[in-house]
Amino acid sequence: MGPFADESDNAIDVARRVLGSDAFAAVEAQGSRLRPEHNEVQRLALGTLTIDTPQDKPITSRWDELTPAERQVAILATAGWTNPAIAVRRGKSARTIDSQMAAILQKLGITSREDIIDHIPKDIIEQVRTETIRRPQRNTRKPQPH
């Protein structure tokens, strides 16, 4: 059950970053009011039931200052990809990705990759969700002593 719990925790973290803490708490409260006996969870997952979500707060962004390559790296970083995994995915060196990450943080005026989510336009946020699913699993096994 450990890997399942880890992935659930990761999904919750991404959802909280995508929605913001206040919106996540509001949607989580709405979800807790769903009635499983009426198949509301399944209907919501299938798209046959909708619930109202809080209005998104307007965000001032410097997203347009990023190059297309930096935008792709930013999306992957927001989805939880490590820099080495991004390098492999994009066919670039780890040093290139490190440089692009530094440029992204500088251009967006932030100090943490977790803050990138606040700058991703709503019309492409689905790409973050898709890349979160595609993200390679981190090796959580500890090396065996010799």
Side-chain angles (χ1 to χ4, degrees):
M1 291 296 288
F4 180 75
D6 291 344
E7 286 305 309
S8 294
D9 290 342
N10 288 338
I12 290 168
D13 290 342
V14 169
R16 187 173 279 118
R17 287 193 317 252
V18 169
L19 296 173
S21 294
D22 293 340
F24 178 85
V27 171
E28 184 178 36
Q30 286 177 325
S32 70
R33 292 191 295 270
L34 291 174
R35 296 171 298 180
E37 66 274 13
H38 293 153
N39 296 322
E40 289 181 346
V41 175
Q42 294 89 338
R43 290 174 37 218
L44 182 63
L46 293 171
T48 59
L49 175 72
T50 59
I51 56 177
D52 294 328
T53 58
Q55 294 296 325
D56 291 330
K57 59 183 178 190
I59 296 173
T60 306
S61 175
R62 298 178 181 168
W63 183 257
D64 292 334
E65 294 180 25
L66 302 181
T67 66
E70 289 168 346
R71 290 178 192 169
Q72 186 60 39
V73 169
I75 289 168
L76 294 170
T78 301
W81 289 59
T82 63
N83 284 8
I86 294 170
V88 170
R89 164 75 182 273
R90 296 192 41 76
K92 304 293 180 187
S93 74
R95 293 177 86 181
T96 297
I97 301 304
D98 291 343
S99 295
Q100 288 175 321
M101 281 302 303
I104 291 164
L105 298 177
Q106 189 271 325
K107 288 179 180 181
L108 296 179
I110 57 179
T111 57
S112 169
R113 66 195 293 141
E114 285 80 23
D115 295 331
I116 297 171
I117 192 71
D118 295 333
H119 297 272
I120 296 180
K122 284 174 39 177
D123 62 329
I124 62 170
I125 203 68
E126 187 61 35
Q127 291 178 31
V128 174
R129 293 181 185 109
T130 300
E131 295 302 340
T132 300
I133 294 166
R134 292 181 180 163
R135 181 184 69 230
Q137 299 301 311
R138 293 182 182 170
N139 186 358
T140 56
R141 280 190 303 175
K142 294 182 180 174
Q144 297 295 323
H146 297 325

